[in-house]
Amino acid sequence: MRWLGALAASLWLTACAVQEAAPPSDPLLFDPKALERADSIVIGIPGAMTSIRVLRPIDDLETRDRAVAYFRLPGFDGRPAEESIVLDRAAARIARLVETHDLKRIDLIGHSTGAVIALEAAKDIRATSPDVDVHVTGISTALPAPQPVLAGLRGAAGTAAAAARARSLNPRKVWLEYYRRLAYGPDVETRPETVAAADALVAANDSRIELPENGLYRRHTRDLRRWTNPDPEALAGTNIVFYHGAVDPVFPPRPTQRFVDTLPDARVAFIKGHGHLILLTYPHVWDRIEKTLIQSSSD
């Protein structure tokens, strides 16, 4: 069981900070020519330990007047793995992009930790470019402290339970078993249709599911554990919509609703029967996002 404790710790628990030796790389990926001709932009921001590949449906939102960009996380999509996610720095980089170009509107679509980056970026944009129309869509959003630490404890317990269900201490087998719970919640095994959906999801994504190694998970989540959502009033005037799994085992619905209630102009839709991975388990979320974007653009 020593290995199990080590896996749980590497996935979820806090660790000591390390110094970054070099200036951070530019996390933003976009087509400069498309941005030059556009007056609006959609930026996709993935969650911890996730590639921008999960947000690729955003490509369908590009038009001649609307550009698309992605925020790459350390260790993914060509960005150096030794860097860390620093929320203030990430938000400032996105706000600087808006300042640099003559944009009328920005749509920030973030998953989990990416939703937190989107909220902080919206605050900066409202301060530095108040005439820009700012929209935030949060998918399975992470929550302020102490919820990330509590999520770590839930994750450690979930990892132990996954090991028991898998009857194995093999790291990959345990992680894939826990992945099922992330996707469909703690009662994933209670209904045959949910079992089948979880089996299909793991089979389809097996080759792309990566175990966190060499402290990368710590570098992705260290700043989030300290985040308290400072100055939520700075989001006034920002249109904010959240989509959240009704059985999310990482950030449960009740604290999520309490968080949404602290934000101006925010609303949340809970997706019945889905957990933390609604990008994969509930692809209809993209239809809802696109519909909302088109409606608000025509207003």
Side-chain angles (χ1 to χ4, degrees), residues 227-248:
W227 183 65
T228 60
N229 188 34
D231 193 17
E233 294 80 11
L235 290 166
T238 303
N239 185 280
I240 305 172
V241 179
F242 295 104
Y243 297 97
H244 208 87
V247 289
D248 190 325

Side-chain angles (χ1 to χ4, degrees), residues 17 30 75 78 95 170 178 180 183 187 246 275-277:
F30 59 90
N170 177 279
Y178 183 67
R180 297 160 58 86
D187 297 328
H276 195 64
L277 305 179

Side-chain angles (χ1 to χ4, degrees), residues 99-200:
E99 281 190 282
T100 304
H101 296 81
D102 186 20
L103 296 173
K104 297 179 181 178
R105 171 174 174 149
I106 180 169
D107 285 83
L108 300 162
I109 302 177
H111 173 246
S112 196
T113 302
V116 172
I117 294 174
L119 289 171
E120 290 302 311
K123 294 175 186 177
D124 285 0
I125 295 166
R126 296 294 300 160
T128 59
S129 305
D131 294 331
V132 174
D133 189 15
V134 185
H135 296 250
V136 171
T137 301
I139 303 171
S140 304
T141 185
L143 302 178
Q147 284 299 322
V149 174
L150 296 177
L153 297 176
R154 296 182 197 109
T159 303
R165 289 194 303 271
R167 298 181 181 180
S168 174
L169 294 182
N170 177 279
R172 186 158 191 84
K173 288 183 179 180
V174 173
W175 180 241
L176 290 178
E177 181 60 33
Y178 183 67
Y179 193 81
R180 297 160 58 86
R181 185 176 184 271
L182 279 178
Y184 291 102
D187 297 328
V188 62
E189 305 294 338
T190 60
R191 294 184 299 160
E193 59 269 29
T194 309
V195 172
D199 288 343

Side-chain angles (χ1 to χ4, degrees), residues 135-299:
H135 296 250
V136 171
T137 301
I139 303 171
S140 304
T141 185
L143 302 178
Q147 284 299 322
V149 174
L150 296 177
L153 297 176
R154 296 182 197 109
T159 303
R165 289 194 303 271
R167 298 181 181 180
S168 174
L169 294 182
N170 177 279
R172 186 158 191 84
K173 288 183 179 180
V174 173
W175 180 241
L176 290 178
E177 181 60 33
Y178 183 67
Y179 193 81
R180 297 160 58 86
R181 185 176 184 271
L182 279 178
Y184 291 102
D187 297 328
V188 62
E189 305 294 338
T190 60
R191 294 184 299 160
E193 59 269 29
T194 309
V195 172
D199 288 343
L201 182 70
V202 170
N205 292 279
D206 190 347
S207 63
R208 292 185 292 179
I209 299 172
E210 299 184 27
L211 285 170
E213 296 177 348
N214 301 319
L216 185 60
Y217 183 83
R218 179 188 71 234
R219 293 192 293 278
H220 274 211
T221 60
R222 181 174 56 221
D223 207 29
L224 176 65
R225 289 190 292 266
R226 298 189 289 254
W227 183 65
T228 60
N229 188 34
D231 193 17
E233 294 80 11
L235 290 166
T238 303
N239 185 280
I240 305 172
V241 179
F242 295 104
Y243 297 97
H244 208 87
V247 289
D248 190 325
V250 182
F251 296 106
R254 286 186 180 180
T256 298
Q257 183 66 68
R258 289 197 297 268
F259 168 62
V260 173
D261 290 342
T262 69
L263 304 176
D265 305 312
R267 59 193 187 277
V268 59
F270 290 105
I271 312 302
K272 184 179 180 180
H274 293 266
H276 195 64
L277 305 179
I278 59 175
L279 284 173
L280 301 177
T281 65
Y282 183 70
H284 183 56
V285 71
W286 293 113
D287 298 329
R288 297 177 67 168
I289 290 171
E290 183 174 10
K291 182 179 180 180
T292 299
L293 187 152
I294 292 173
Q295 286 179 341
S296 60
S297 295
S298 61
D299 289 344

